Amino acid sequence: MTTRTHTNPTKNVLLLRTPAEEGLDSFEDAFNAHGHLPISVPVLETIFVNVEDLSSKIAAGPQNQSLSGVIVTTKRGLEAWSNAVKSIVSADPGLDPGDSGELDWSSVPFYAIGKATASAAAELRAALPSRLVPGDTRGQAQSGTAEQLAHFISSNISPRTDGSAVRKLLYLTGDKNRDTLPNILASAGVVLDVLQVYATHSSPSFPHDLKDAIENGECIDPSQTWGWVVFFAPSAAEQVLPALLEQFQFQRIDSLTELVGNTQRVRITVIGPTTASFMQDVLKLHVDVVTPKPTSKDLVSAISAFDRT
């Protein structure tokens, strides 16, 4: 392990997420530029489910299902869409979606949370230039949470061209979802065709990967704060907390006492109010910083502002 000279006791930033597979990682690059030491550790593994069901819906086309759009809240949902399209093309190499307007998904609104999901849609469109992939992505600039996206959809969705008052959206989900978005849209008269397309479970190598990450961090006095732990989602927080407690101490929300565990103190940053509420209400942990938007710029700015004070 390499020992580095440090001037800031909160220089380490443990990012509980999978780093970019190719090229520069925007989060790690942003923290490096601000003099922090970012360390990404994957906490979840994803499996795709109901691939045949999704393929069937894509092959049927939006018109035949009276769909006014698609809701995709994560990059994983778009990966599931990509897998399904590849399955369709593989089964019928001669398929030309341009032959039928009924199969045209490129003109159907895809409602996405945040820039990361919207960027995944653009990448999919570039990799699979077809009318089976998203061509009209909306909501990313106006919505960083499910609640914000639901209100955006309610104000943005167009009336049915056939005169029907019913507006229906295909909603691609994972295995862990809150009812905030469905409830808001239901009150606005929007019907959802819900299809789970992926599931997540904890990475079996996380405890080992975490230990390696800590050894690669700044070597500081145990009486000082090791750095930051950044939580991106409630599901990940709950699953990795036992392993984190073996390495770190967190402050309880209701007192100044530390949780039982290692002597190395860390601070908590979370992405968005949903994760913040879960950390405080369910896990009973004090949250030092809540970043309103899931971008590297907002995350670095929030942590840097806290460090300055």
Side-chain angles (χ1 to χ4, degrees):
M1 179 176 65
T2 302
T3 302
R4 303 176 178 86
T5 301
H6 63 87
T7 57
N8 187 341
T10 57
K11 190 173 183 180
N12 298 299
V13 181
L14 177 62
L15 302 164
L16 300 175
R17 34 84 75 179
T18 303
E21 296 181 359
E22 298 179 1
L24 292 176
D25 184 282
S26 62
F27 285 91
E28 294 183 357
D29 190 45
F31 277 110
N32 279 320
H34 284 74
H36 293 80
L37 178 64
I39 308 168
S40 296
V41 179
V43 300
L44 299 174
E45 293 182 345
T46 302
I47 58 172
F48 295 101
V49 299
N50 299 321
V51 177
E52 291 185 2
D53 291 341
L54 179 56
S55 297
S56 296
K57 288 183 177 295
I58 295 174
Q63 293 187 23
N64 293 329
Q65 301 169 84
S66 300
L67 292 172
S68 300
V70 182
I71 302 175
V72 187
T73 59
T74 66
K75 294 175 64 175
R76 293 291 181 259
L78 286 167
E79 288 177 20
W81 189 278
S82 175
N83 293 339
V85 169
K86 291 176 181 177
S87 175
I88 294 171
V89 174
S90 176
D92 187 1
L95 176 67
D96 182 3
D99 291 341
S100 173
E102 295 180 349
L103 296 182
D104 184 10
W105 291 92
S106 63
S107 60
V108 173
F110 276 67
Y111 295 100
I113 289 182
K115 294 182 178 179
T117 307
S119 296
E123 293 171 2
L124 175 57
R125 189 161 57 250
L128 296 170
S130 164
R131 300 181 79 178
L132 296 178
V133 299
D136 179 7
T137 306
R138 304 181 185 182
Q140 64 271 20
Q142 298 86 352
S143 58
T145 67
E147 180 178 2
Q148 292 172 343
L149 180 63
H151 287 302
F152 174 81
I153 293 173
S154 299
S155 62
N156 181 266
I157 190 170
S158 302
R160 287 278 302 279
T161 56
D162 58 5
S164 171
V166 177
R167 296 173 297 176
K168 184 169 68 171
L169 298 174
L170 176 60
Y171 180 26
L172 306 183
T173 74
D175 56 328
K176 301 173 181 66
N177 306 284
R178 295 197 171 191
D179 56 6
T180 302
L181 184 146
N183 287 345
I184 294 174
L185 291 179
S187 65
V190 178
V191 177
L192 296 181
D193 179 5
V194 182
L195 178 63
Q196 181 187 338
V197 294
Y198 68 92
T200 57
H201 57 85
S202 58
S203 169
S205 64
F206 178 77
H208 177 269
D209 295 340
L210 175 63
K211 184 178 180 180
D212 286 347
I214 294 173
E215 292 179 351
N216 289 328
E218 291 286 344
C219 298
I220 65 176
D221 187 331
S223 65
Q224 302 295 319
T225 302
W226 180 86
W228 292 89
V229 177
V230 182
F231 294 88
F232 289 79
S235 58
E238 185 173 33
Q239 294 186 43
V240 303
L241 184 60
L244 289 171
L245 288 176
E246 293 181 3
Q247 306 292 338
F248 298 127
Q249 285 187 341
F250 298 92
Q251 182 179 328
R252 292 184 186 274
I253 193 169
D254 56 353
S255 72
L256 296 178
T257 60
E258 306 292 335
L259 289 174
V260 176
N262 196 286
T263 58
Q264 195 69 74
R265 176 78 166 88
V266 293
R267 298 191 183 280
I268 292 178
T269 298
V270 300
I271 305 296
T274 301
T275 306
S277 297
F278 183 84
M279 299 293 293
Q280 296 167 345
D281 299 341
V282 179
L283 300 184
K284 305 301 181 183
L285 296 178
H286 172 73
V287 175
D288 296 283
V289 171
V290 180
T291 303
K293 295 181 180 179
T295 68
S296 57
K297 179 181 178 180
D298 287 286
L299 180 57
V300 172
S301 296
I303 288 180
S304 297
F306 186 98
D307 285 342
R308 286 195 297 270
T309 60

